[in-house]
Amino acid sequence: MGRSFDADDPFSAVLAPPPNETPAEKAAREKKEAEARRVSDEIDDMLRQERAALKKKRPVRVLLLGQSESGKSTTLKNFQLTYARKAWAEERSSWKAVVQLNLVRNVNALLDTISREMGPLSPRSQSPDSDMEEEADSMPSREASPGDSPFPFTEHHHLLKLRLGPLRRIQRDLEVRLGSSATEVLPSSAPASENTSAAPFDGPVPRSQQEFYVRSNNGWKSALEKIRFLSGGKSDERRSKDFDSSEVTEVLAECREDMKALWEDPVVRDVLEKNKVRMEESSGFFLNDIDRIATRDYQPSDDDVIRARLRTLGVQEYRFVFEIGRTAGHEWLMFDVGGARTSRAAWVPYFDDIDAVIFLAPVSAFDEKLAEDRRVNRLEDSYLLWKSISGSKLLAKTQIILFLNKIDLLEKKLASGVQVRDSVPSFGDRANDAATVTKYFQQHFREIARQSNPEPRPFFVHLTSVVDTKSTATTLSIVEEGILRDHLRRADLL
Ligand SMILES: Nc1nc2c(ncn2[C@@H]2O[C@H](COP(=O)(O)OP(=O)(O)O)[C@@H](O)[C@H]2O)c(=O)[nH]1
Ligand SMILES: [Mg+2]
């Protein structure tokens, strides 16, 4: 820090060297000044390092954003699986009930689909079983006789339906026990809420949306803990009498062969195909794992936990101390959010002081509609959301990493013959293969970012299938490095 003297500055005159100074006096003065400067610089340095160390000790803060079912929670699980193995292992068995619920839901969805085609039961196979009554309630009523169906259903199908009846109650019990995260959002025909415009994130949060703001410190653990509590053998009077997790396991084991028979049945497959129902692409799909899951000693694997679907409500906060990687010993704070349109206003308070945003766009959804608003194309919604996140002034200096997710499903969909241009007319006559399609979508995202970023910002993008833990681990190590670099750079700038 050189000192300059300005003749016009009255303060400079005071600091200026005496006019009649001898060379020896000058040397002594300069030495003293240099020493003072050195001490001062040293103190500055120490303070800066202390501040940096303090900042470095602060958790790395990452916000996961994207529409509902884009893969946010799955990405979070991958972080935990890769970097916080201990916490992961402790939690794994608690996911058993979630996987069981996912499977039961798959089977009930199959039953729903074929029931619509079957018409009412033949009198012979009808029973007064209460499960059946309820099932009939949930079906659209249809005046039809068994001979009415265009599909060759037999007595065997009616029998399967009857024998799988208890799964209705199992689903309901599990949903009640796991709490509201266990149920999915229902389609609504109500007009989309106000927060769907291009830049909803910088204004005040409309009052009507504030009620969706939920802050929880334990995220999915709240659902898992309920199950752990209920199945942990605690002799607590709060333990429900009518729910027994071993009963769920038992019913599933008893239904194993019937569930398999239903899923593998050619007529059932035909019904699915004619109705364009792609079970394999639905959330929490476990029908190909019946043999493994519907057993009395089932324990979830890492993959099961990654693929299990539990809806995220509000904004949930997760703390992990990373055990490996460049940030070993460092705490990461990750925020997972509910992605449905009505939940998005609750994101804003988290934009402040975030090291990075990971934004997920499920590119396989180019021909799908939002669950919460059937009129809106899911890719279109992702573009809009990306535009408002990129354009947010609160996030202007934050690193944003885009995951074009569900690449595996995109490949499957294209291979089955679905044409992108039917849903995205601007795609035109380009080749309908995954490489061309992802490149096209990627350019669109890049262009939106370029136009909306309040100040220039690098465009980081990864093509991901976050249910594939191995390839995701590679992606995450790149992401980890980038986020960490930014985190440290910010600390130095303090
Ligand atoms: N096949 C496939 N499924 C995925 C992928 N990412 C997420 N999923 C599934 O999609 C569903 C929704 O994912 P989730 O992480 O809960 O989405 P969120 O609502 O954004 O948190 C879950 O059943 C996931 O297993 C992917 O890349 N490929
Ligand atoms: Mg989620």
Side-chain angles (χ1 to χ4, degrees):
M1 264 188 285
R3 198 182 285 168
S4 64
F5 298 97
D6 180 348
D8 293 334
D9 181 354
F11 197 62
S12 288
V14 179
L15 293 175
N20 53 355
E21 189 179 51
T22 66
E25 280 170 342
K26 182 171 183 235
R29 177 182 54 79
E30 280 178 354
K31 199 171 157 216
K32 229 167 91 188
E33 279 180 2
E35 176 60 14
R37 242 188 339 264
R38 197 188 58 75
V39 171
S40 159
D41 286 354
E42 215 168 62
I43 292 172
D44 275 354
D45 234 27
M46 256 166 52
L47 287 176
R48 202 172 50 81
Q49 278 174 17
E50 243 168 52
R51 271 200 303 264
L54 208 68
K55 177 90 195 222
K56 276 173 204 165
K57 262 196 225 134
R58 298 188 38 200
V60 179
R61 298 158 70 91
V62 179
L63 182 59
L64 291 151
L65 299 180
Q67 65 184 203
S68 193
E69 299 207 27
S70 54
K72 299 178 292 296
S73 301
T74 312
T75 301
L76 179 62
K77 283 191 252 176
N78 273 280
F79 267 107
Q80 192 185 10
L81 170 68
T82 311
Y83 294 103
R85 294 281 318 169
K86 226 174 104 219
W88 173 270
E90 280 165 11
E91 229 173 74
R92 190 171 40 209
S93 65
S94 317
W95 283 91
K96 178 173 164 181
V98 181
V99 176
Q100 288 175 324
L101 172 61
N102 284 183
L103 174 61
V104 169
R105 257 223 199 97
N106 294 163
V107 176
N108 286 337
L110 273 183
L111 290 171
D112 283 349
T113 308
I114 65 164
S115 294
R116 280 194 288 269
E117 297 294 342
M118 260 180 175
L121 291 174
S122 60
R124 240 178 341 124
S125 50
Q126 222 148 20
S127 94
D129 188 312
S130 65
D131 284 316
M132 294 308 297
E133 262 167 49
E134 192 170 290
E135 180 185 2
D137 278 352
S138 66
M139 296 302 137
S141 64
R142 203 183 123 152
E143 297 295 318
S145 65
D148 203 23
S149 171
F151 297 98
F153 289 115
T154 64
E155 203 60 21
H156 174 64
H157 295 105
H158 287 289
L159 212 60
L160 279 180
K161 217 178 115 178
L162 192 69
R163 288 208 297 248
L164 292 172
L167 294 183
R168 297 277 168 195
R169 184 174 48 80
I170 296 290
Q171 173 173 343
R172 200 179 47 222
D173 281 357
L174 281 169
E175 280 172 354
V176 169
R177 294 305 146 189
L178 281 163
S180 41
S181 344
T183 52
E184 291 295 331
V185 83
L186 290 172
S188 122
S189 54
S193 55
E194 312 94 285
N195 60 347
T196 53
S197 67
F201 290 118
D202 286 330
V205 179
R207 218 164 210 310
S208 63
Q209 291 168 9
Q210 285 173 358
E211 68 210 69
F212 295 105
Y213 177 90
V214 179
R215 189 164 184 158
S216 142
N217 286 323
N218 52 7
W220 62 58
K221 290 185 187 70
S222 60
L224 296 187
E225 263 158 17
K226 281 183 202 152
I227 279 296
R228 219 178 312 188
F229 170 75
L230 287 159
S231 55
K234 293 193 182 96
S235 59
D236 195 297
E237 70 276 12
R238 275 165 65 208
R239 191 175 163 169
S240 165
K241 285 186 212 71
D242 59 355
F243 182 77
D244 179 0
S245 69
S246 64
E247 192 208 335
V248 173
T249 305
E250 189 58 36
V251 172
L252 278 178
E254 276 162 15
C255 289
R256 181 174 58 233
E257 293 311 317
D258 286 338
M259 292 193 288
K260 259 170 61 188
L262 182 74
W263 172 232
E264 285 161 10
D265 187 272
V267 180
V268 173
R269 292 294 175 104
D270 200 31
V271 173
L272 292 177
E273 207 185 308
K274 296 264 158 54
N275 283 284
K276 296 197 166 60
V277 177
R278 282 191 288 262
M279 292 294 294
E280 291 88 340
E281 291 171 21
S282 62
S283 278
F285 172 78
F286 284 103
L287 285 171
N288 286 338
D289 303 278
I290 295 172
D291 266 336
R292 212 166 41 77
I293 296 172
T295 57
R296 290 182 178 82
D297 55 2
Y298 167 65
Q299 285 301 324
S301 67
D302 285 350
D303 261 3
D304 291 346
V305 177
I306 286 286
R307 283 164 45 216
R309 161 79 176 163
L310 197 60
R311 189 160 64 98
T312 310
L313 291 172
V315 177
Q316 305 189 333
E317 189 180 307
Y318 296 83
R319 279 175 190 273
F320 305 122
V321 175
F322 276 24
E323 290 158 12
I324 57 160
R326 290 168 205 84
T327 32
H330 203 107
E331 189 172 43
W332 282 56
L333 197 52
M334 303 196 134
F335 300 93
D336 186 17
V337 304
R341 285 190 159 189
T342 46
S343 315
R344 293 176 190 171
W347 301 355
V348 185
Y350 296 84
F351 287 4
D352 200 27
D353 203 21
I354 275 285
D355 288 298
V357 168
I358 299 180
F359 185 99
L360 286 108
V363 284
S364 62
F366 66 85
D367 65 341
E368 295 167 22
K369 302 279 193 247
L370 286 182
E372 64 267 36
D373 187 345
R374 290 282 175 202
R375 296 163 308 172
V376 181
N377 174 284
R378 289 186 66 196
L379 180 65
E380 203 53 50
D381 178 67
S382 272
Y383 283 150
L384 277 177
L385 197 49
W386 173 248
K387 183 172 174 183
S388 46
I389 294 298
S390 299
S392 163
K393 290 193 184 70
L394 291 169
L395 294 171
K397 296 192 187 307
T398 306
Q399 168 174 174
I400 303 183
I401 305 148
L402 173 65
F403 280 16
L404 296 184
N405 191 38
K406 302 204 177 182
I407 295 288
D408 59 324
L409 293 180
L410 176 77
E411 283 166 351
K412 274 195 201 130
K413 196 173 263 187
L414 298 178
S416 78
V418 178
Q419 297 293 317
V420 173
R421 66 158 181 266
D422 292 346
S423 313
V424 187
S426 63
F427 186 70
D429 286 332
R430 292 173 176 82
N432 204 63
D433 59 64
T436 312
V437 172
T438 45
K439 193 164 158 233
Y440 181 76
F441 292 165
Q442 182 175 320
Q443 272 165 355
H444 202 106
F445 277 104
R446 180 194 291 270
E447 190 50 32
I448 292 175
R450 204 183 56 76
Q451 287 181 11
S452 347
N453 283 341
E455 42 193 274
R457 159 168 51 200
F459 178 71
F460 297 117
V461 62
H462 297 275
L463 306 185
T464 57
S465 301
V466 295
V467 282
D468 176 351
T469 55
K470 225 172 131 208
S471 69
T472 304
T474 311
T475 307
L476 292 192
S477 80
I478 301 169
V479 169
E480 186 213 4
E481 187 175 336
I483 294 178
L484 187 65
R485 204 182 322 111
D486 252 31
H487 182 71
L488 298 183
R489 194 170 48 79
R490 281 168 169 236
D492 284 341
L493 284 178
L494 241 191

